[in-house]
């Protein structure tokens, strides 16, 4: 089963890290990344740019409205995500815990993923 681990944190906290602090977090995460990649569990992962670089397309009207920013109603922002291949939710939570030890603060949302491959149909 594929799971998405969505990484949330307070953007102002993360953006205030010095280069050295950010490099230290990324180095700790790299240890976990290598372990997951070696086990064949790590799929695509992305670190998102700040919400100031985001654009939202509101599709509740025609034509859709394009707005600057993410407009999420939350103190924490989505900073990035992992795609992991796990046997079950318990394994996905175990990986989320390991990532959390490397990158304290914020939260990881764990969600099962239904794989979408354009051009194919899976009933």
């Amino acid at each position: 089963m594929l799971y998405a681990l969505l990484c949330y944190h307070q953007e102002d906290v993360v953006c205030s890290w010095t280069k050295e602090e950010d490099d230290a977090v990324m180095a700790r995460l790299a240890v976990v990344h290598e372990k997951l990649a070696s086990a064949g569990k790590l799929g695509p992962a992305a670190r998102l740019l700040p919400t100031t670089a985001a654009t939202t397309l509101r599709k509740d009207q025609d034509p859709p409205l394009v707005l600057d920013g993410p407009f999420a109603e939350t103190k924490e922002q989505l900073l990035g995500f992992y795609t992991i291949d796990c046997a079950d939710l318990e394994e996905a939570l175990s990986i989320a815990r390991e990532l959390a030890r490397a990158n304290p603060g914020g939260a990881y949302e764990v969600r099962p993923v239904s794989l979408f491959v354009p051009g194919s149909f899976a009933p």
Side-chain angles (χ1 to χ4, degrees):
M1 169 68 78
L2 292 178
Y3 287 87
L5 299 183
L6 308 176
C7 178
Y8 289 88
H9 204 307
Q10 292 182 25
E11 192 173 74
D12 58 339
V13 171
V14 174
C15 289
S16 71
W17 291 344
T18 65
K19 180 175 179 353
E20 292 76 22
E21 290 169 323
D22 189 66
D23 288 348
V25 169
M26 295 309 290
R28 291 192 304 268
L29 287 172
V31 172
V32 181
H33 297 170
E34 180 58 36
K35 176 183 168 187
L36 294 173
S38 295
K41 302 234 173 252
L42 183 62
R47 186 176 191 184
L48 301 176
L49 293 178
T51 55
T52 54
T55 302
T56 299
L57 185 132
R58 299 289 315 177
K59 58 183 184 153
D60 53 355
Q61 63 186 43
D62 194 23
L65 181 62
V66 177
L67 305 165
D68 290 336
F71 293 102
E73 295 295 329
T74 178
K75 290 184 351 185
E76 297 174 335
Q77 289 74 40
L78 176 62
L79 299 182
F81 64 88
Y82 296 89
T83 305
I84 56 171
D85 189 5
C86 298
D88 54 29
L89 177 60
E90 286 308 312
E91 184 180 11
L93 287 170
S94 175
I95 290 170
R97 287 183 188 101
E98 192 169 359
L99 289 165
R101 283 190 296 275
N103 184 13
Y108 284 98
E109 180 180 341
V110 180
R111 294 177 63 178
V113 172
S114 176
L115 187 60
F116 172 71
V117 179
S120 69
F121 175 73

